[in-house]
Amino acid sequence: MRSFLTYLAALGLAVLAAGLLVTRPGVVPESALAGLAGDPVAGEAVFWAAGCASCHAAEGAQGEDRLILSGGQRFASDFGTFVAPNISPHPDAGIGEWDFADFVTALQEGTSPEGRHYYPAFPYTAYRLAERQDLADLWAFWQGLPPSEVPSLAHEVGFPFSIRRAVGVWNLLNLQDDFALAGDLDAEEARGRYLVEALAHCAECHTPRDALGGLDRSAWMAGAPNPSGSGTIPALTPDRLTWSVGEIAAYLNDGFTPDFDSAGGHMVSVIRNMAMLPEADRLAIAAYLKTLPPAGE
């Protein structure tokens, strides 16, 4: 009997060790980034495409204030309320003490410099598809952003979702290294796919989620409940969004629909970002949306 209990204990320890191994936070080593030099001018375009200000600028920030990434916006979900942190270059309140490897590790592995999992309210699941040259450019631009001494606020997430190690299990189920839309695309459509799926992370809002909060790739961009509990976020598939390529691109520039309605809610901030991009990028996004399969297929 004693030998059987010893065997069970050893087996349990082995399973625990294996679980800790496969759920450990991922890290991007400095050696993987060797030779990358960033261009801050190119990085500004990446900044707007990636929507950094939409979550990390203060609520209602306008104009140049959108470059002050002091955090504080609140995002409700089924798992609790997440509060955007200060990610300005402030050395204490923000991320001013990070190096480039810390930055890429956060964006593509969802891991903090202290080796803890970030919650996937931070869209590292999308940013992991970003080109590292784009991230080098973004990092170069980041160095010129204004620091903010506003302290970050804690997330309001209760047990068991407060167990950070459990995010490692979530990552095993949900991290992807390929685009959701496969198949042959022309250069414009491929550019649009990159902008939508990697940088702008549009699916985070426009794709439904499973019970654990992972994106349902079988219903890609088919619309989703609004996390705030009010209404739904519309589908962007061509059977639901019937605007022309030009009309979609125009909406992303000025926020006006073909019927002369205007964007509302969080989309207002998204359009402010998109308006900073070249017209070719807005057209590429629209071209990509036209290649999506109909909702439900």
Side-chain angles (χ1 to χ4, degrees):
M1 182 66 176
R2 181 178 299 172
S3 61
F4 178 69
L5 293 177
T6 301
Y7 170 78
L8 284 180
L11 179 61
L13 288 173
V15 170
L16 176 62
L20 291 174
L21 181 65
V22 299
T23 62
R24 71 190 186 282
V27 174
V28 176
E30 290 185 9
S31 59
L33 307 173
L36 286 175
D39 174 0
V41 175
E44 182 176 5
V46 178
F47 176 86
W48 295 118
C52 309
S54 290
C55 291
H56 292 278
E59 187 79 42
Q62 304 266 350
E64 291 295 309
D65 286 347
R66 300 187 76 231
L67 297 175
I68 305 174
L69 305 180
S70 55
Q73 290 193 53
R74 299 165 61 83
F75 299 92
S77 78
D78 293 338
F79 308 99
T81 297
F82 299 95
V83 185
N86 182 333
I87 56 170
S88 78
H90 193 281
D92 300 315
I95 64 171
E97 293 298 311
W98 289 17
D99 60 24
F100 180 45
D102 293 331
F103 188 67
V104 176
T105 293
L107 286 171
Q108 298 200 304
E109 296 290 344
T111 302
S112 75
E114 297 76 33
R116 298 183 71 204
H117 289 295
Y118 287 119
Y119 289 114
F122 172 35
Y124 59 86
T125 50
Y127 293 149
R128 70 186 283 107
L129 299 175
E131 297 290 339
R132 286 184 176 167
Q133 181 60 59
D134 278 348
L135 299 186
D137 294 340
L138 178 60
W139 181 242
F141 175 72
W142 214 279
Q143 307 316 301
L145 293 176
S148 168
E149 61 184 12
V150 174
S152 297
L153 301 176
H155 299 306
E156 299 169 8
V157 180
F159 183 84
F161 306 116
S162 56
I163 302 174
R164 293 285 184 126
R165 193 70 185 205
V167 177
V169 178
W170 190 94
N171 287 342
L172 283 175
L173 297 172
N174 292 287
L175 286 187
Q176 303 286 342
D177 292 312
D178 59 342
F179 290 107
L181 181 67
D184 294 330
L185 301 178
D186 64 26
E188 182 180 47
E189 292 162 351
R191 173 64 177 168
R193 177 176 66 180
Y194 177 68
L195 289 166
V196 169
E197 296 196 23
L199 294 184
H201 54 278
C202 305
E204 295 293 315
C205 289
H206 290 277
T207 297
R209 296 178 180 273
D210 60 27
L212 295 178
L215 293 178
D216 180 359
R217 282 192 158 200
S218 68
W220 190 251
M221 304 295 248
N226 192 324
S228 70
S230 176
T232 58
I233 297 172
L236 300 183
T237 53
D239 59 320
R240 304 288 179 82
L241 182 63
T242 58
W243 305 344
S244 70
V245 166
E247 288 169 338
I248 294 171
Y251 173 75
L252 293 175
N253 181 60
D254 57 29
F256 288 102
T257 73
D259 300 324
F260 303 103
D261 197 0
S262 60
H266 199 67
M267 195 64 197
V268 173
S269 181
V270 172
I271 288 169
R272 289 194 185 115
N273 301 333
M274 293 294 171
M276 302 295 288
L277 301 181
E279 175 69 6
D281 279 349
R282 291 189 291 273
L283 288 168
I285 290 171
Y288 162 84
L289 295 179
K290 289 299 183 184
T291 69
L292 293 173
E297 288 193 5

